[in-house]
Amino acid sequence: KKDEPYVIAFSQCMMDDVWRQAMLLEMNIEASNYDNIRIVIADAKESNETQIKQIQQFIDQKVDVLIISPNQSDSITPIAVEAYRKGIPTIIVDRKIGSEEYTTYVGGDSYEIGRIAGEYASAFLPENATIAEVWGTKLSSPAQERHLGFINGLKKKNVNIKTVVGNWRREIAKKEVSQLEDFNDIDLVYAHNDVMALGAREAISERDSALVSKIIFLGVDAAFGKGAGLEAVANGLLNASFLYPTGGDQVIRVAMKILNKEQTDKKYILNTAVVEKNTARTLLLQSDQLINYQNRIEQQKRNIDMLFQKFSMLRHSLFLILSL
Ligand code: FRU
C-alpha cells in the first residue's frame, strides 16, 4: 500500500455546471501540493440511482477516503451511511445527508445565505411586494435551507411569493419562469443559484426587455468562470450574489488530515459574503490570476514528467550499452 498513492474518491452529483467546475479546479490546485494522492471522480449526472451505484463501487474498491456531494439528501443517505459503517472515512460536501453518520462535513451555510439574502432584499421591496423565488431541486438541502433562511430574513410583511422550481439549472429556470402568467408585478427575483437567476432574467427580458431594469435580480454562488455569477454581477446582469464557497481546497485538506490520522472537526462551515458589482470585479481579477498560476504549475509538472522520461530513456540506453 505504502508505495501506491492514496485514492480519494469523489462522488459528485453532477459535473456539468460552472460552480462544480470551479470546485474541481480548487480541488486540483490543493491536490497539486501532495504527490501521494490520486483523485478519482464519478459523475452521477443528477441521478440518485447512478450516484448510489457509483458509491457502491467505491465501497467495493475500498477507497481510502470517500467524498460525497449528494444529489438528493434522502435518497443518498443510506449508501453514504453504509460506506461510513464499513470503515471508509466519508466527507460530505455541499449538500447534506439526513444522518450524522459521516466523518466530516464541508460546506457553506445555506440557511445563513438565505437569511442574509432576505435581509438584503428587504431594502429594495415596496409594501405588498411580489417576489419570484426560483428554487433549486426541492429535495436537496441547500434549496430547502436557502428558502427557509430567506423567509426568516425578510423584514417586510405581506410579501407575495411566486414559486418556481428550476432544479439548479439555467434552462429549466428560464422555461418555468417564462410560463408565469404575468411578470409585471414582480419586484424582485431571488434564485437559489446564479445560473437560475440568469435564466429567469432571460425569460423576462425575452417577453418584455424594458422590464428587467425595474426588477432586482439576486442569486447565490458568486462562482468564477464563463457564464457564472461573478461575471454576471460584474456585468450588471444580476444586482448581487451571495458567496457560496465550493470548499474544493478545504475538502482536500481535510482528506489529507484523515489520511495522516489527524483529528478532524465534525463540520467545516465556510463563510459567505454579499457580492455586488465592485466586489465581483475584484474577485474576478483574483480568480483569473489563480487560474493562471494553476496553468503554470501544471505546465511545470508536465516539464518535470518529460525530463523524467528522458532521464529514464537515457538510463535504459546506458544500461544496454554497458551490457554489450
Ligand atoms: C451546482 C449547484 C450550485 C449550488 C449548489 C447547491 O450544482 O447547483 O449552484 O449552490 O449546487 O448544492
Side-chain angles (χ1 to χ4, degrees):
K1 183 91 223 177
K2 294 283 166 296
D3 299 333
E4 283 175 30
Y6 289 113
V7 175
I8 300 180
F10 182 19
S11 164
Q12 174 67 298
C13 55
M14 62 161 134
M15 284 303 286
D16 156 32
D17 162 279
V18 277
W19 185 84
R20 288 179 200 275
Q21 288 302 320
M23 179 184 214
L24 185 63
L25 182 77
E26 286 167 23
M27 285 174 85
N28 285 336
I29 291 177
E30 182 61 28
S32 41
N33 292 319
Y34 317 99
D35 57 8
N36 59 343
I37 55 173
R38 189 159 69 86
I39 301 176
V40 183
I41 299 176
D43 175 6
K45 299 193 162 54
E46 294 170 84
S47 152
N48 293 327
E49 243 174 64
T50 308
Q51 189 161 31
I52 291 168
K53 274 196 207 125
Q54 291 172 335
I55 295 176
Q56 187 61 58
Q57 281 168 0
F58 285 144
I59 297 176
D60 297 342
Q61 290 160 11
K62 299 193 169 61
V63 297
D64 297 296
V65 175
L66 176 59
I67 303 170
I68 302 174
S69 184
N71 189 47
Q72 289 180 359
S73 305
D74 291 350
S75 312
I76 303 305
T77 301
I79 189 80
V81 168
E82 187 184 324
Y84 179 74
R85 286 194 185 158
K86 290 209 164 132
I88 298 179
T90 318
I91 306 175
I92 309 294
V93 65
D94 158 45
R95 302 184 186 170
K96 295 176 180 161
I97 57 168
S99 161
E100 289 293 303
E101 289 189 71
Y102 55 84
T103 311
T104 179
Y105 170 81
V106 177
D109 183 342
S110 282
Y111 177 85
E112 184 61 9
I113 286 175
R115 198 189 60 74
I116 295 173
E119 271 186 17
Y120 185 90
S122 303
F124 297 96
L125 296 176
E127 288 309 317
N128 303 317
T130 296
I131 295 175
E133 180 179 5
V134 187
W135 277 68
T137 309
K138 280 229 163 166
L139 295 174
S140 65
S141 63
Q144 292 161 352
E145 292 171 358
R146 286 174 202 181
H147 165 72
L148 262 186
F150 184 73
I151 299 301
N152 291 338
L154 278 178
K155 298 266 172 286
K156 293 269 173 21
K157 301 275 172 282
N158 303 325
V159 180
N160 167 33
I161 297 189
K162 296 187 179 189
T163 300
V164 176
V165 182
N167 288 341
W168 301 117
R169 290 291 192 183
R170 179 176 176 140
E171 285 313 312
I172 300 177
K174 181 180 172 187
K175 184 164 151 266
E176 294 298 315
V177 170
S178 70
Q179 280 164 7
L180 288 176
E181 260 172 33
D182 186 16
F183 296 152
N184 283 308
D185 55 344
I186 297 177
D187 298 293
L188 182 142
V189 171
Y190 165 61
H192 292 175
N193 72 8
D194 294 328
V195 290
M196 295 193 297
L198 285 168
R201 189 180 197 281
E202 203 173 29
I204 297 173
S205 116
E206 278 179 11
R207 201 181 308 164
D208 182 349
S209 60
L211 203 56
V212 282
S213 56
K214 296 189 199 126
I215 299 175
I216 301 289
F217 290 90
L218 304 180
V220 177
D221 280 345
F224 57 81
K226 263 241 111 353
L230 278 187
E231 187 189 80
V233 176
N235 294 340
L237 294 178
L238 302 182
N239 297 75
S241 176
F242 301 86
L243 179 69
Y244 183 60
T246 70
D249 50 346
Q250 179 76 308
V251 125
I252 296 297
R253 278 197 295 276
V254 174
M256 290 314 294
K257 274 194 176 195
I258 293 174
L259 291 170
N260 293 331
K261 309 265 177 301
E262 289 168 33
Q263 196 67 32
T264 52
D265 294 346
K266 187 73 187 179
K267 290 191 172 120
Y268 294 88
I269 304 300
L270 311 169
N271 286 329
T272 186
V274 182
V275 178
E276 293 170 318
K277 202 170 203 162
N278 281 332
T279 320
R281 287 187 173 155
T282 313
L283 290 175
L284 266 185
L285 288 177
Q286 278 179 353
S287 62
D288 282 349
Q289 212 166 42
L290 193 78
I291 294 166
N292 276 339
Y293 284 145
Q294 181 59 10
N295 286 341
R296 273 157 61 180
I297 291 174
E298 272 162 21
Q299 186 57 48
Q300 299 285 1
K301 275 194 157 176
R302 280 195 292 272
N303 292 347
I304 292 173
D305 282 350
M306 240 158 60
L307 273 177
F308 191 74
Q309 268 176 21
K310 277 190 193 155
F311 169 75
S312 311
M313 260 158 52
L314 269 177
R315 199 172 57 173
H316 187 67
S317 321
L318 195 64
F319 176 76
L320 285 180
I321 294 170
L322 290 178
S323 60
L324 279 178

